[in-house]
């Protein structure tokens, strides 16, 4: 949760560079495009080029599929009028944020306050008997295979077999009922492995839901001017707390060569 001021500088709004070099070699998921991993995001350089060269100030740009909101941002920065449509309310929230970015200083101050108010409570839920913190719990079906841990010295870590302590810690949150005020509706989609019988507890452990509630409670105490950015930050990060994170071997993610190293990935972007 510790804020990184260099990352917060992304919230200084400037038009995307539309030079031929950037259109041929777009930056992809960098800058503000990396803030929220919205499904189906496209390189913005070519779309910004079209806005810049096919419209003039005061013209209306229509985007019937808002998605990541980047077209809205590039349109407004170039002093065009904008109409956006999307069935997903997250897309609308994200677009509204990108056309009215908060001050990086205010955002940093808010994140620092969140850290003070909830970090220690969240850490307690991952505190192991030896004083280290669990970073991952590796499951095979319903069986807990190993616990990945990190010591208070950042570079020290390791993997170990689960103990009775681990099971007792998990059991504390088994019956936790999330405080999110409305039921979550899912739909049948085999591509992202969803069906209409899923609930929040199929996607998150009780411990994860407990910690998300802690964050939500703290975020809702923040001023409205900063609340949206914090909520969107939480939605972009909460996938890594979900059951959609997976661990596999043999993929060779970093060097494109088969490896026996356990690598972590996630399907959660599909949600």
């Amino acid at each position: 949760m510790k804020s990184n001021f260099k990352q917060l500088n992304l919230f200084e709004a400037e038009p995307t560079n539309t030079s031929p070099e950037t259109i041929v070699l777009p930056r992809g998921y960098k800058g503000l495009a990396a803030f929220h991993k919205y499904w189906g995001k496209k390189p913005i350089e070519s779309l910004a080029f079209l806005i810049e060269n096919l419209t003039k100030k005061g013209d209306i740009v229509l985007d019937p599929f808002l998605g990541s909101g980047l077209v809205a941002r590039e349109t407004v920065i170039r002093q065009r009028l904008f109409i956006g449509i999307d069935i997903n309310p997250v897309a609308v929230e994200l677009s509204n944020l990108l056309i009215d970015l908060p001050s990086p200083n205010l955002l940093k101050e808010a994140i620092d306050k969140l850290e003070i108010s909830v970090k220690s409570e969240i850490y307690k839920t991952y505190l192991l008997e030896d004083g280290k913190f669990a970073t991952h719990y590796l499951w095979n079906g319903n069986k807990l295979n190993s616990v990945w841990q990190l010591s208070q010295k950042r570079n020290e870590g390791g993997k170990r077999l689960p103990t009775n302590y681990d099971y007792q810690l998990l059991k504390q949150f088994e019956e936790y009922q999330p405080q999110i005020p409305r039921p979550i509706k899912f739909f049948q989609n085999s591509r992202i492995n969803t069906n209409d019988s899923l609930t929040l507890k199929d996607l998150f452990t009780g411990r994860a839901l407990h910690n998300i509630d802690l964050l939500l409670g703290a975020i809702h105490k923040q001023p409205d001017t900063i609340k949206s950015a914090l909520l969107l930050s939480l939605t972009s990060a909460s996938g890594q707390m979900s059951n959609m994170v997976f661990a596999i071997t043999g993929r060779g993610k970093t060097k494109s060569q088969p490896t026996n190293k356990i690598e972590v990935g996630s399907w959660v972007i599909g949600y």
Side-chain angles (χ1 to χ4, degrees):
M1 186 188 296
K2 197 168 184 61
S3 55
N4 183 315
F5 197 73
K6 184 177 180 181
Q7 291 177 334
L8 293 176
N9 284 341
L10 296 176
F11 286 78
E12 298 289 357
E14 294 181 0
T16 293
N17 185 339
T18 57
S19 66
E21 293 80 8
T22 60
I23 295 174
V24 174
L25 297 171
R27 297 180 70 208
Y29 292 133
K30 294 183 180 179
L32 269 179
F35 169 65
H36 203 289
K37 292 184 177 180
Y38 196 94
W39 184 258
K41 190 185 301 179
K42 305 299 188 296
I44 192 58
E45 288 83 354
S46 59
L47 294 172
F49 176 86
L50 293 176
I51 295 168
E52 200 168 90
N53 290 276
L54 298 182
T55 68
K56 59 183 182 295
K57 290 182 181 179
D59 282 353
I60 298 175
V61 174
L62 169 67
D63 184 353
F65 307 101
L66 273 172
S68 64
L70 292 172
V71 172
R73 173 177 174 270
E74 296 296 335
T75 300
V76 172
I77 287 177
R78 289 172 170 79
Q79 299 179 40
R80 277 67 164 166
L81 302 177
F82 182 77
I83 299 173
I85 304 167
D86 205 290
I87 195 173
N88 188 344
V90 172
V92 177
E93 287 292 325
L94 188 54
S95 299
N96 285 331
L97 173 70
L98 294 185
I99 63 176
D100 188 18
L101 292 172
S103 156
N105 290 324
L106 287 177
L107 189 55
K108 181 180 185 301
E109 182 181 340
I111 292 174
D112 288 343
K113 287 180 179 178
L114 286 180
E115 183 175 11
I116 292 170
S117 64
V118 300
K119 181 178 178 179
S120 62
E121 292 301 310
I122 290 175
Y123 268 33
K124 285 178 185 177
T125 68
Y126 297 99
L127 181 63
L128 303 177
E129 67 267 46
D130 57 3
K132 297 179 180 179
F133 294 97
T135 60
H136 297 73
Y137 291 89
L138 186 61
W139 295 81
N140 186 358
N142 293 321
K143 180 182 178 183
L144 181 59
N145 276 8
S146 66
V147 177
W148 298 12
Q149 59 189 25
L150 181 72
S151 76
Q152 294 181 2
K153 293 182 179 180
R154 182 177 289 273
N155 293 328
E156 294 182 8
K159 304 177 180 66
R160 64 164 175 76
L161 294 174
T163 66
N164 286 334
Y165 177 91
D166 299 314
Y167 288 109
Q168 291 171 5
L169 193 59
L170 287 167
K171 193 173 180 62
Q172 291 179 27
F173 300 96
E174 278 184 356
E175 303 303 319
Y176 183 80
Q177 294 299 319
Q179 299 174 31
I180 294 173
R182 63 179 177 85
I184 304 299
K185 293 184 179 180
F186 293 94
F187 53 89
Q188 191 75 32
N189 188 329
S190 59
R191 291 185 62 195
I192 56 174
N193 199 29
T194 64
N195 61 72
D196 55 13
S197 67
L198 289 177
T199 68
L200 274 177
K201 286 202 165 186
D202 293 307
L203 292 185
F204 297 94
T205 65
R207 170 166 44 198
L209 290 170
H210 169 270
N211 292 334
I212 289 172
D213 279 341
L214 283 177
L215 287 165
L216 284 172
I219 288 172
H220 283 299
K221 294 177 182 178
Q222 300 298 316
D224 289 341
T225 53
I226 209 75
K227 191 183 298 183
S228 178
L230 295 172
L231 288 172
L232 285 165
S233 296
L234 177 58
T235 65
S236 67
S238 59
Q240 301 309 314
M241 302 169 68
S242 77
N243 297 334
M244 299 299 289
V245 177
F246 60 83
I248 60 174
T249 59
R251 180 170 60 161
K253 176 181 178 182
T254 56
K255 296 183 179 179
S256 300
Q257 296 178 351
T259 174
N260 290 325
K261 180 181 178 182
I262 298 176
E263 297 176 326
V264 177
S266 175
W267 295 114
V268 78
I269 193 171
Y271 286 96

